[in-house]
Amino acid sequence: MGMPISRFPGGCGVHSYDWKKTIGPLAERPDWQFGIDEFLEWCQVVESEPLMTVSDYTGTAQDAADLVAYLHSPADAAHPRAQQRAANGPPDPGGVVRFERVKEADSG
């Protein structure tokens, strides 16, 4: 496709985005059928580098830290978010090195 970088979520979707609602079994997240793990899988298929957006609209600094832990920590007892990631499919950390913070005053 020629997309060197793909942003998730993008556009106005970032304003109502809560990453914790986009992980886990599909049946448990009816409003988010395409979440973080699906996005990362899609990026691999189309050979695009993922860029994760973190929003001040729906999250805190702790939520952002939890997202980084979900994406980068080893899946062991000391890292429960990474254990969630491994249970959801991607067992290995890494893959996301770009993050973008969207503040309330930003236009999206």
Side-chain angles (χ1 to χ4, degrees), residues 33-77:
Q33 294 295 291
F34 187 83
I36 289 177
D37 299 321
E38 292 81 14
F39 169 70
L40 294 176
E41 183 178 336
W42 181 83
C43 284
Q44 287 182 336
V45 169
V46 300
E47 298 178 357
S48 184
E49 181 180 354
L51 180 146
M52 294 301 303
T53 302
V54 179
S55 172
D56 284 352
Y57 280 88
T58 57
T60 64
Q62 185 60 56
D63 291 325
D66 289 346
L67 175 59
V68 172
Y70 181 84
L71 294 168
H72 284 280
S73 297
D76 57 29

Side-chain angles (χ1 to χ4, degrees), residues 2-107:
M3 293 176 56
I5 296 177
S6 296
R7 179 182 188 222
F8 185 79
C12 293
V14 72
H15 302 307
S16 62
Y17 174 72
D18 179 350
W19 76 268
K20 293 173 184 174
K21 294 180 180 177
T22 73
I23 60 172
L26 291 175
E28 295 177 12
R29 51 185 172 107
D31 295 332
W32 288 96
Q33 294 295 291
F34 187 83
I36 289 177
D37 299 321
E38 292 81 14
F39 169 70
L40 294 176
E41 183 178 336
W42 181 83
C43 284
Q44 287 182 336
V45 169
V46 300
E47 298 178 357
S48 184
E49 181 180 354
L51 180 146
M52 294 301 303
T53 302
V54 179
S55 172
D56 284 352
Y57 280 88
T58 57
T60 64
Q62 185 60 56
D63 291 325
D66 289 346
L67 175 59
V68 172
Y70 181 84
L71 294 168
H72 284 280
S73 297
D76 57 29
H79 303 96
R81 291 288 180 197
Q83 286 180 315
Q84 281 182 300
R85 180 200 66 238
N88 294 337
D92 298 321
V96 178
V97 296
R98 296 180 188 266
F99 291 84
E100 173 185 46
R101 177 179 169 224
V102 177
K103 300 176 288 189
E104 190 168 345
D106 290 346
S107 62

